[in-house]
Each structure stands twice: as structure tokens, then as C-alpha cells.
Amino acid sequence: MQYIGLSDITLKTADGMALSFKEKIELAKLLDKLNVSAVELAPIQNRKIDSLLVKSIGMAVKNSAVAVPVSQDMESIDITWAALKVAKKPRLQLKAPMSPTQMEYFWHKKPDKMLETIREMISRCRALCADVELIADDACRGEREFVYQAVRTAIEAGATAVTLCDAAGLMFPEEFSAFLADVKANVPGVENVRLGVQCSDALSMAGACAMAAIRTGAAEIKTVACAGDVTQIGDIAAILQSRGDSFGFGTNVRTSELKRITSQVEWLCHGTRSQLNPYDGGASTVSDAAGMALSVHDDLTAVNKAVEKLGYVLSDDDCAKVYAAFQALAAKKESVSARELDALVASVALQVPPTYQLDKYVINCGNAITASAHIKLFKGDQVLEGISLGDGPIDAAFLSIEQVIGHHYELDDFQIQSVTEGREALGETVVRLRSGGKLYSGRGSSTDIVGASILAYLSALNKIVYEEAEA
């Protein structure tokens, strides 16, 4: 039986979705759990933020390939590879237009120059990565002879996969099948690479076209796990499960988990969020079940890896401070959990002079009124204040701070725990904010848990402001 790969492009097409940095990582992990052949990402545009996202997803995905397209210049190949090489199964992609209109409009090249560019860029990608894919965009509307030449050039340059895209989606299944058969008949060596297709659903026949392509020799199908204009992963997986045996085809996608995971993906991609809510997709917790239990016997390298797993990027100096604090804590107890390590990072890493300091705050809340917060902050000699309503006292407090600073930062995590016992128990909070893809954490302690939360938020905020001023 031939197993057909289903490569998911949900994250590649997620620009219009309100996905936070952390949600993109969670979505990639869900797709990996589904056992798709590849998780495809958008090209790196912002070198700092997007590179960090690619690295984070590359480390999080364990079974699937992680595929990232390069841009139109050689420098982008090196930038993309620097971020992608941490993945267990990295894949570099070159998306090249096949139709004359797209070549002129997007790449400003004539056909002969386009072929030369394909050869140079595929060769460079192949020198770095063992899995290189040419995505022949709008191939069905390209001149056949040019498509043949482009595919041949990519294979000669070292491409291990070629994907032919029906961008317009105007072909019937038998026409698409005939198109693939023509490419196979006219391109020597195409039988030695992984042949894939991407079918538009403009005529609601993407699934039928994909099956026609499989029967003609396609080994991988581009899919989406939520609503989109290409083949739905649920549709093609159901077809392969129901009728694949009849033709000797199957898929490694976990069809038993398909409905549950795609519903989770759908919720992530299209879940409604309040525009006022600072929690974005919802505050999460640092899980101690993430395989993280450190002891006094762990060295600096092991602790640094655990800190990276939590999502932090620290300087050598801050790593040394965290390790010293870790040793002091580990000497007193049998193991140090992820939550405790997170609190250590918040306490000792990137300690900076405070830009914003708390003056006073007033919180009104109850089961019969909407929570409100009035917060006054010092910024140097200035007194700044914000008033906001929120979904609870802490929500209102964070929104008031955002009103004061005039900026929204993604709230990556929010933790509350009791430090002491009794009626006057001391509460401690850890707030993790994300700015530019990087995590910053702050810690606050008070007998008033709302006050502790405000102090923790300001601690993280001051680290962001300080680093941005230094940059």
C-alpha cells in the first residue's frame, strides 16, 4: 500500500487570523499530533519575531516535517535555515510562479531568468538542507513547456520534492489528472522525487481533484485543518480511509483523532475574542507535566535548556544568575518544577531600573457590578492614570495599565500561588508578557492578590521598556 502524505498549510495561510505567538505553537503541536507529513509555515518577514517562531515550532514538532519557504534572494535562504535547522525534519521551500503574469508582476522576471533563479536558489537550499521542495505556483495556467523546464531545472539542481498548484481551481478532476500525466511524461527524473499537489476549492472539487492526482502518481497533498480554499484535511482523509484500499492508497494521519483535533484547530483559528481582553486566547499555565523536573545534580546546560523550553531567551549573564538561584533552591528540596523555575527567572533575570512605578490603585468589583480599576503610576516625575472596566478585578487592572502605557502586550501566562498560610497569607503572582516574540516575566508579592498581580505586570513591563530603549 502506498501512503499519501497530507501536508498542512493552515499556519502558512493564518495571517488573517487573530492567532497569538503561543497559539501558533499550540496549533503546530496539534497538527504534529495528527501526524501530518509536514507543518508548513509562512516565510520569515520580521527577522527577529518570525525567526523565533520558526525555532520554537521547530523544537516543538516531533514527528512531522517543518517546512518554511524562502523569499526571492539568497540572504533569505541563510536567514530561514538559521531558524529552521533546529527542527527534527526541516524542509526548505521555493515558491516560484509558473504563469507569465505572476512572473512579471511578482518576480519581475522573464522565463529564462526565472529558470536561472530556480536553479541558483534550489542549489543553495540543497547545499544546506536534505529536503528541498519546489512549489510551482499557478502551474495549471503556465505555458506547459515552461512548466516542464522549471520542474526539470529544480530536479537537476537538487530538489527532492515538486508541488504543482492549481491556484485558479478551474480544472475538473480528469483535466487535472491529465495535466499531471503530461508533466510526468515530459520531465525525466520526476519519478525520483516526491510529487505533490495543491488544489483550489473554487468549484468545490478540491477533494475530487486531489484523489485524481493521487491516482496519477501524487504522493503528497497540501491541506488545511480549518476552513480554507484548498483541500480540507478532513475530506481527503475520509476519502482515503473509505476508498483508499480499493486503489492501494492509505494515509498515516490519525483519523481516529481527526475530528477532535480539527475542532480544536477550528476553535483556535476562528474563536471569538473580546477586543478589550488582555488575555488574547486565554491565560495559560506552565505545565509541570512537560517533562521538566530538575534536581541539584543538573548542570548549567540542563537548566538553560529547561529555561529555553519555557520560552525564554536569556543573556549569558542572566543564565548564570538563574542557575545560581536554582542551585540555592535545589539544595533545599528534592526537585525543582517548571513553575518554580519560571518564578526564578521572573525574580532574578533581567533586573532593570523601573520605568513605571505603582502609586495607588482602586478596584471595584462584585457579583452585581462590572469590575473597574483606577490605577495611578509614576513615570519619572509624571503621574499617569488609567480607568478601565474589565471581566474581573485583575482583567480591569491590566486593562488600566494598558490604557496608561498606550500599548497592548500579549499575556502569555499568569500564575497565582500562596506563599504563606493564614488570614493574612502572602500571595505571589508571576506574569509573562510577550513582546516581539520574546518572553519577559515579572513577579509580585502582596497580601492583596490584585496588588501582587499589578506589581508582577509592572515588573515584566519595565523589562520590556528597558530593553526596547537599549535596542
Side-chain angles (χ1 to χ4, degrees):
M1 179 177 288
Q2 180 185 355
Y3 286 92
I4 306 301
L6 303 184
S7 180
D8 193 273
I9 64 171
T10 303
L11 279 166
K12 185 179 281 186
T13 58
D15 288 345
M17 303 173 189
L19 290 174
S20 67
F21 187 97
K22 189 169 185 178
E23 286 172 331
K24 290 177 181 178
I25 297 173
E26 290 304 314
L27 199 157
K29 289 164 72 174
L30 285 171
L31 295 172
D32 186 41
K33 189 182 294 185
L34 196 57
N35 207 31
V36 297
S37 59
V39 176
E40 301 196 25
L41 309 181
I44 292 175
Q45 295 177 328
N46 183 307
R47 184 169 182 174
K48 181 180 178 182
I49 300 174
D50 294 343
S51 292
L52 182 58
L53 178 65
V54 170
K55 285 182 182 179
S56 300
I57 291 177
M59 290 188 289
V61 171
K62 304 302 181 186
N63 303 309
S64 308
V66 178
V68 184
V70 300
S71 298
Q72 298 180 21
D73 55 83
M74 289 295 180
E75 184 185 11
S76 75
I77 298 176
D78 296 327
I79 292 171
T80 303
W81 179 244
L84 182 61
K85 63 184 179 182
V86 300
K88 187 176 180 180
K89 299 177 183 178
R91 181 186 298 179
L92 287 174
Q93 299 174 317
L94 174 65
K95 184 178 181 180
M98 297 291 109
S99 65
T101 303
Q102 287 197 3
M103 267 185 277
E104 291 277 0
Y105 187 77
F106 292 110
W107 285 60
H108 312 294
K109 293 183 183 293
K110 297 294 185 183
D112 57 338
K113 289 294 183 183
M114 192 72 241
L115 294 174
E116 184 179 329
T117 300
I118 289 172
R119 184 181 299 279
E120 291 174 354
M121 297 192 74
I122 291 290
S123 296
R124 176 57 182 161
C125 288
R126 191 67 174 85
L128 298 171
C129 184
D131 191 358
V132 179
E133 177 184 4
L134 171 70
I135 300 177
D137 192 27
D138 207 17
C140 294
R141 291 191 291 188
E143 296 179 3
R144 290 290 173 95
E145 192 56 42
F146 176 79
V147 174
Y148 304 153
Q149 289 179 326
V151 173
R152 188 183 306 121
T153 299
I155 294 172
E156 290 171 353
T160 56
V162 173
T163 295
L164 302 170
C165 302
D166 179 16
L170 299 180
M171 280 190 168
F172 281 8
E174 59 271 19
E175 293 176 309
F176 193 53
S177 177
F179 168 69
L180 257 65
D182 283 349
V183 173
K184 292 182 67 177
N186 288 278
V187 181
V190 73
E191 67 279 358
N192 299 322
V193 301
R194 185 177 63 251
L195 184 61
V197 296
Q198 179 173 323
C199 305
S200 169
D201 202 31
L203 298 179
S204 301
M205 289 194 295
C209 286
M211 278 306 300
I214 290 170
R215 296 182 67 183
T216 312
E220 188 171 73
I221 310 296
K222 305 285 189 195
T223 63
V224 288
C226 61
D229 62 352
V230 299
T231 310
Q232 302 288 308
I233 191 170
D235 293 344
I236 192 66
I239 294 170
L240 287 171
Q241 185 182 29
S242 300
R243 293 298 310 278
D245 288 344
S246 306
F247 304 102
F249 301 124
T251 177
N252 286 321
V253 167
R254 296 191 174 99
T255 52
S256 60
E257 298 184 53
L258 187 61
K259 187 174 181 180
R260 179 180 62 83
I261 290 178
T262 52
S263 66
Q264 288 178 289
V265 172
E266 188 78 29
W267 182 86
L268 276 174
C269 293
H270 300 296
T272 56
R273 298 171 176 81
S274 166
Q275 291 184 349
L276 294 176
N277 192 341
Y279 293 94
D280 299 296
S284 64
T285 58
V286 176
S287 173
D288 291 342
M292 195 181 300
L294 301 170
S295 72
V296 71
H297 304 294
D298 285 296
D299 59 10
L300 176 62
T301 301
V303 174
N304 286 348
K305 285 184 178 179
V307 169
E308 288 179 6
K309 193 173 181 180
L310 289 175
Y312 294 105
V313 180
L314 302 181
S315 66
D316 291 341
D317 185 47
D318 280 332
C319 285
K321 291 178 182 177
V322 170
Y323 183 64
F326 162 78
Q327 285 182 308
L329 179 61
K332 302 175 184 177
K333 53 188 305 186
E334 194 170 315
S335 65
V336 176
S337 67
R339 191 178 290 273
E340 289 168 325
L341 183 62
D342 199 49
L344 290 179
V345 173
S347 300
V348 304
L350 194 62
Q351 298 303 302
V352 299
T355 302
Y356 294 97
Q357 292 179 289
L358 179 64
D359 177 18
K360 60 186 69 173
Y361 64 91
V362 176
I363 306 292
N364 292 301
C365 65
N367 64 356
I369 61 172
T370 301
S372 65
H374 180 188
I375 293 181
K376 285 189 177 182
L377 303 177
F378 287 119
K379 185 181 181 183
D381 295 330
Q382 287 182 283
V383 178
L384 307 171
E385 58 184 308
I387 302 174
S388 183
L389 302 176
D391 188 15
I394 293 175
D395 186 52
F398 288 178
L399 287 171
S400 294
I401 297 173
E402 288 187 359
Q403 190 181 89
V404 170
I405 64 178
H407 197 285
H408 167 71
Y409 293 104
E410 180 185 331
L411 181 60
D412 186 85
D413 192 23
F414 174 59
Q415 304 171 30
I416 300 175
Q417 59 186 18
S418 175
V419 179
T420 59
E421 298 178 353
R423 294 181 64 183
E424 297 298 319
L426 184 66
E428 181 180 81
T429 63
V430 173
V431 167
R432 301 205 304 174
L433 301 178
R434 193 179 291 276
S435 175
K438 185 176 179 181
L439 280 179
Y440 300 82
S441 60
R443 192 176 186 180
S445 299
S446 173
T447 53
D448 175 7
I449 204 63
V450 177
S453 303
I454 293 171
L455 292 173
Y457 191 102
L458 291 176
S459 174
L461 171 64
N462 284 325
K463 294 175 183 180
I464 295 173
V465 173
Y466 180 83
E467 189 160 293
E468 287 179 347
E470 290 290 304

